[in-house]
């Protein structure tokens, strides 16, 4: 059965009853705080994104909780929450036997995957230090299916291939920030070259702990063993394990310390402040990338509007530019 309605176009069906199919990412039984009325909260996914659905107790079936990780046909109505996000009120779900897998994989295409992998290895090849270059090559050739991993489950880059896109994007941004500062931030009294190797290595590795933290579609869940640790701790744990293997990347104590410091400053605390410019650059590149990604989400969510728009979820105004058509 071909899929006819996608999450990216769900706003077109506001207040309408729909029948279409989704992949069930998660399903949890809950109850309202006041009346204690039971309901199922369902996180649904297709190739264009995710959406929450609610099944009230009068429509709940015993087998529904076993549908997690499967593709289902749903009947329901499209509504808007108080924060203006769209949601489904589901009256029926049924397992779907025949479907096209690609309709439900929220991830980058094979073409984009190839392009980003080429960029990843281009950056690795640009590292002048043989020790750093060998370390990066060893790590990124030893991770099974790295190109399928999400960067987060519900935050930024929460799709298959998200970690690849995020790592390359941050590294590219940090590298050009360092290049711009070195080339154009002229000081006639002195000239201090930047360590581009450290910028690239830090950019590519600062979130590498994700490989031991998340599973891609169709599971899209956190690895249970990772739960006691946060991303920073998992990243440091992973790097220490790789460095202990000492497989052709004999980092000096200084190289190892600077790499750890640069990555550690991404997760800055009161007792960890940047001691080198490369750490400042990487931290700000990640901050900039995150801020832009968050704003893009709200711009996309309000793309059917124009001008100054107040978004309740953001609790602020955003500006939607009109599309101009060149009639000349």
């Amino acid at each position: 059965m071909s899929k006819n309605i996608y999450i990216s176009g769900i706003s077109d069906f506001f207040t309408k009853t729909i029948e279409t199919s989704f992949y069930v990412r998660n399903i949890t039984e809950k109850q309202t705080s006041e009346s204690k009325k039971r309901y199922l909260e369902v996180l649904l996914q297709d190739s264009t994104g995710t959406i929450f659905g609610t099944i009230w107790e009068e429509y709940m079936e015993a087998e529904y909780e076993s549908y997690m990780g499967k593709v289902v046909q749903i009947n329901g109505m499209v509504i808007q929450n108080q924060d203006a996000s769209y949601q489904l009120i589901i009256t029926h779900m049924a397992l779907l036997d025949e479907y096209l897998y690609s309709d439900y994989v929220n991830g980058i295409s094979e073409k984009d995957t190839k392009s980003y992998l080429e960029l990843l290895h281009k950056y690795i090849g640009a590292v002048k230090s043989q020790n750093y270059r060998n370390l990066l090559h060893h790590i990124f050739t030893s991770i099974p299916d790295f190109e399928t991993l999400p960067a987060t489950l519900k935050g930024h880059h929460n799709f298959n291939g998200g970690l690849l896109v995020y790592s390359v994007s941050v590294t590219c941004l940090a590298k050009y920030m360092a290049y711009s500062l070195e080339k154009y931030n002229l000081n006639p009294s002195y000239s201090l070259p930047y360590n581009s190797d450290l910028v690239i290595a830090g950019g590519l590795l600062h979130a590498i702990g994700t490989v031991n933290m998340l599973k891609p579609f169709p599971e899209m869940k956190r690895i249970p063993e990772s739960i006691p640790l946060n991303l920073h701790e998992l990243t440091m744990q992973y790097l220490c394990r790789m460095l202990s293997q000492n497989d052709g990347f004999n980092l000096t104590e200084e190289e190892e310390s600077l790499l750890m410091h640069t990555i550690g400053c991404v997760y800055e605390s009161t007792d960890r402040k940047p001691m080198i410019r490369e750490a400042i650059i990487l931290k700000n590149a990640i901050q900039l990338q995150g801020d832009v990604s968050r704003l893009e989400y709200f711009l996309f969510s309000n793309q059917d509007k124009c001008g100054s728009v107040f978004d309740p979820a953001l609790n602020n105004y955003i500006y939607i530019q009109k599309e101009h058509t060149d009639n000349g």
Side-chain angles (χ1 to χ4, degrees):
M1 178 180 291
S2 61
K3 183 169 169 58
N4 58 338
I5 298 174
Y6 288 84
I7 292 169
S8 60
I10 206 72
S11 60
D12 295 338
F13 299 89
F14 177 47
T15 72
K16 296 179 181 178
T17 299
I18 62 171
E19 182 178 352
T20 189
S21 56
F22 296 104
Y23 172 80
V24 180
R25 276 262 298 264
N26 193 38
I27 185 164
T28 309
E29 182 173 331
K30 296 186 175 183
Q31 63 180 12
T32 59
S33 56
E34 295 182 1
S35 64
K36 306 300 180 184
K37 185 176 181 179
R38 295 166 56 237
Y39 67 95
L40 294 176
E41 182 184 78
V42 188
L43 179 59
L44 301 167
Q45 171 182 301
D46 64 22
S47 59
T48 67
T50 59
I51 190 170
F52 280 100
T54 298
I55 305 175
W56 293 107
E57 59 183 1
E58 56 265 33
Y59 297 110
M60 288 168 56
E61 300 289 345
E63 65 269 20
Y64 283 174
E65 292 194 46
S66 67
Y67 287 0
M68 189 168 70
K70 299 176 182 177
V71 175
V72 299
Q73 189 78 5
I74 68 107
N75 293 81
M77 176 178 285
V78 181
I79 66 167
Q80 270 189 310
N81 293 321
Q82 291 181 344
D83 63 1
S85 63
Y86 291 97
Q87 184 180 336
L88 299 174
I89 299 298
I90 302 169
T91 55
H92 182 69
M93 288 199 307
L95 290 176
L96 199 61
D97 295 324
E98 296 183 7
Y99 53 87
L100 188 62
Y101 185 79
S102 59
D103 285 339
Y104 308 94
V105 179
N106 184 19
I108 58 176
S109 66
E110 290 185 13
K111 180 181 178 181
D112 287 336
T113 298
K114 182 180 178 181
S115 296
Y116 275 94
L117 284 173
E118 288 175 353
L119 283 169
L120 172 71
H121 291 288
K122 177 183 176 181
Y123 281 126
I124 293 174
V127 173
K128 298 180 180 66
S129 164
Q130 184 175 346
N131 289 339
Y132 282 147
R133 188 170 64 251
N134 288 347
L135 173 65
L136 290 167
H137 179 76
H138 174 78
I139 288 176
F140 286 104
T141 56
S142 64
I143 301 172
D145 302 320
F146 172 76
E147 66 275 12
T148 68
L149 292 171
T152 65
L153 293 181
K154 298 180 182 179
H156 68 89
H157 299 85
N158 60 344
F159 51 83
N160 279 21
L163 181 60
L164 172 62
V165 172
Y166 171 69
S167 300
V168 169
S169 173
V170 164
T171 302
C172 178
L173 184 56
K175 185 175 182 295
Y176 278 98
M177 287 171 69
Y179 171 80
S180 178
L181 286 167
E182 183 172 25
K183 187 173 180 65
Y184 299 111
N185 189 30
L186 176 66
N187 189 314
S189 300
Y190 55 81
S191 176
L192 299 173
Y194 285 81
N195 186 338
S196 63
D197 290 353
L198 201 54
V199 172
I200 294 173
L204 293 178
L205 295 175
H206 80 276
I208 198 66
T210 306
V211 305
N212 289 333
M213 183 179 183
L214 304 178
K215 290 188 176 182
F217 179 90
E219 292 179 89
M220 288 297 283
K221 68 178 184 180
R222 179 148 186 184
I223 299 171
E225 292 79 9
S226 74
I227 292 175
L229 302 179
N230 61 30
L231 178 57
H232 175 222
E233 292 165 337
L234 287 166
T235 294
M236 291 306 183
Q237 182 188 68
Y238 186 95
L239 287 175
C240 287
R241 186 182 300 118
M242 290 296 104
L243 289 167
S244 68
Q245 294 178 5
N246 200 20
D247 189 10
F249 38 86
N250 300 304
L251 268 68
T252 65
E253 186 174 346
E254 181 184 34
E255 288 175 324
E256 183 175 327
S257 296
L258 288 175
L259 178 60
M260 292 295 196
H261 174 73
T262 301
I263 293 173
C265 286
V266 171
Y267 310 90
E268 188 175 358
S269 63
T270 54
D271 58 350
R272 187 188 295 115
K273 301 292 184 181
M275 296 173 61
I276 53 177
R277 297 167 300 166
E278 292 78 8
I280 297 174
I281 288 171
L282 180 58
K283 179 176 176 61
N284 280 275
I286 292 167
Q287 181 67 48
L288 175 59
Q289 205 273 354
D291 289 345
V292 169
S293 294
R294 278 187 288 274
L295 186 56
E296 282 179 340
Y297 169 81
F298 292 103
L299 292 172
F300 180 81
S301 300
N302 292 276
Q303 61 182 318
D304 57 332
K305 305 166 187 173
C306 64
S308 297
V309 177
F310 183 80
D311 190 296
L314 181 62
N315 194 30
N316 204 351
Y317 284 92
I318 54 176
Y319 191 84
I320 311 296
Q321 299 183 58
K322 292 182 179 180
E323 293 184 2
H324 296 282
T325 303
D326 185 1
N327 297 318

